[in-house]
Structures are given as C-alpha cells and as structure tokens.
Amino acid sequence: MSPIAVSGPELNLGTEEAYVVLARPKIDPTQPGVIAAARDAGVSPEEFAGPGDVWTLMYDADGDGDGFELPGARDTEADAFAEQVQQALAAAEPFTVEAGNFLRLDARPAGADWTVTAHVTPPEGEEDGAAARTLELGALPAADLLAELEQFRRGLA
C-alpha cells in the first residue's frame, strides 16, 4: 500500500526520545493509499479520511506513546496557546503555559536552550484509558522553539 500523506497544522515540541505534538490532521480522500485502505476497511474514502477538523494531542517518551482527540478544540485556541508560549520565551523567564486542561508546559531558560516539561492530561472518559503523564522534553534550543511556533501559527492563518 502506498503511504498516506497527512497535512494540517502541527506543533511539535521535544526530541525524538520525548515529545508532544498538537495537530489538526487532514487527509486527502483522493490519495491512492486512502482509497485502498478505505476499500479494505469497507468504508468510503471520505469516511476513512475523517473530517480534518479535529485536534489531537500525541505524545511519546522513550517509545511509550499515546494520544487522544480534542473534540471541540478550535484553531483560535491553538493559536492563543502558541502565542502565549512565544511571549513567554521572549520574556526569558521561567514560565507555565496551559492549553485547556489537557496540556501544560513548564519551562525555564538554560543558556541558549529551554528545559521543558510537558504535563499531559487526557480528557475524562478517554476510551483507551490513557493516563496523565509528565514528560521531560529536555533542553530545547530557543531558536528552534521560536521557529516551530512561528511555522505552526502561519499554518493556522
């Protein structure tokens, strides 16, 4: 089966070993891989691709990853979160920023880097039983964080 390309805004914070990703994935139902997968699943390509307007939060620490959907989350809320993180980074002081009740970032400057801890709390009633997690994202370069935030916000515009 051919790979399925996914587009949409995505804020990826962390490293290969530990990360959080806030994303609104969009899949084009006309992709050959989507058509084949939909046929195998017995659904239409449009149903297989989904609506493309549901935010998700994915996270991983040392190969122990999970994620959940955020029904009702809006682009304006994601943009406000990213803007708050940008402003906090510019202030160059330790900070805490929250995205609703599902993600909290605690960060402190460490030279040209930021030491970031993510606190992930799945919505109540999450079907697969995902548990609250604290992930040490490590020392992340300030320039990389700012570039990621700017790219994310451009993708929302």
Side-chain angles (χ1 to χ4, degrees):
M1 179 185 323
S2 57
I4 296 174
V6 178
S7 62
E10 175 179 295
L11 178 60
N12 189 338
L13 302 173
T15 64
E16 288 183 23
E17 293 81 32
Y19 62 82
V20 293
V21 177
L22 180 62
R24 182 174 43 78
K26 180 158 181 59
I27 299 172
D28 178 358
T30 64
Q31 293 181 68
V34 173
I35 294 168
R39 182 179 52 249
D40 291 346
V43 298
S44 73
E46 292 76 17
E47 184 178 357
F48 185 85
D53 63 354
V54 177
W55 283 93
T56 61
L57 182 73
M58 296 165 284
Y59 56 93
D60 191 9
D62 298 320
D64 185 23
D66 209 340
F68 48 87
E69 290 186 347
L70 301 164
R74 298 184 319 249
D75 289 6
T76 55
E77 295 164 335
D79 186 51
F81 171 73
E83 182 179 29
Q84 289 176 27
V85 175
Q86 281 179 315
Q87 290 172 350
L89 289 169
E93 298 287 332
F95 68 86
T96 297
V97 175
E98 295 181 353
N101 58 359
F102 58 88
L103 175 63
R104 184 180 86 229
L105 296 179
D106 295 322
R108 63 185 186 285
D113 296 338
W114 284 85
T115 302
V116 180
T117 302
H119 304 274
V120 175
T121 306
E124 286 187 27
E126 181 65 14
E127 291 177 19
D128 65 0
R133 296 281 309 269
T134 298
L135 300 116
E136 298 296 333
L137 302 183
L140 308 176
D144 292 352
L145 284 170
L146 289 168
E148 179 72 20
L149 289 159
E150 185 60 34
Q151 179 181 348
F152 176 70
R153 294 190 71 205
R154 275 196 311 268
L156 287 170

